[in-house]
Amino acid sequence: MAHRNQRQPEQLAPPVQRMRLRYAKRSVARFMSHRDFARSFERVLLRARIPMALSSGFNPHPRISYANASPTGAASEAEYLEIALWEVCDPEKVKDALNAEMPTGMEVLEVVESDRVAWTEVLTASAWTVHVPHSTDPAAVSSAVDAL
């Protein structure tokens, strides 16, 4: 039951623009868990002074939607997320500002305005490349591929 003197949180204005980002995880960044990346990316948004739209409520959070959790331990050239902004921005300027603040091994490769189509309709397949060291026994590789 709400206390009589308890104020309701301010309802924030809806976002005016949404942007989809494609980013890469390389080098040491491939060992970041998805949760670590999410926390790190929120800090990047603050340092880059991106006008993030926030959720309403007692504990507002930046409006970020991840296409999926990025795998820990795997490098990637195509991880996706969407951000909501309270101010209209140029996608190239957002990309440059974010890249100036991204941690080692992370890079924003593309920023475009979102058409609001669901991630499940946009991302329909993944392509994986597995690099096997030359010293690995070919029979062992063949067996591992069969098992996979």
Side-chain angles (χ1 to χ4, degrees):
M1 180 155 86
H3 200 318
R4 248 186 234 257
N5 295 333
Q6 189 176 24
R7 277 191 44 225
Q8 288 297 311
E10 177 184 348
Q11 296 299 305
L12 301 174
V16 297
Q17 184 181 32
R18 285 180 166 75
M19 293 189 179
R20 287 206 168 150
L21 286 70
R22 179 171 63 97
Y23 66 93
K25 275 178 51 172
R26 304 176 182 128
S27 178
V28 297
R30 73 182 187 271
F31 297 111
M32 289 176 78
S33 70
H34 178 71
R35 288 177 54 104
D36 289 339
F37 172 78
R39 278 190 297 266
S40 178
F41 189 71
E42 285 186 26
R43 288 188 216 109
V44 166
L45 289 165
L46 288 171
R47 288 193 307 266
R49 299 180 187 265
I50 303 300
M52 285 300 300
L54 301 174
S55 62
S56 295
F58 289 104
N59 189 12
H61 295 283
R63 291 185 178 204
I64 303 171
S65 171
Y66 295 91
N68 49 32
S70 59
T72 305
S76 175
E77 293 296 314
E79 297 299 323
Y80 296 90
L81 61 86
E82 184 173 292
I83 58 176
L85 308 176
W86 59 262
E87 182 178 285
V88 175
C89 295
D90 177 282
E92 278 303 308
K93 288 183 180 177
V94 168
K95 177 183 163 191
D96 293 342
L98 291 172
N99 278 330
E101 301 297 336
M102 290 293 269
T104 302
M106 303 296 298
E107 181 182 0
V108 175
L109 303 173
E110 183 179 19
V111 177
V112 297
E113 286 197 62
S114 172
D115 55 11
R116 302 293 313 270
V117 174
W119 287 117
T120 54
E121 293 180 36
V122 175
L123 302 174
T124 57
S126 293
W128 290 77
T129 303
V130 178
H131 296 281
V132 180
H134 291 351
S135 62
T136 305
D137 175 35
V141 172
S142 179
S143 174
V145 168
D146 289 342
L148 180 63

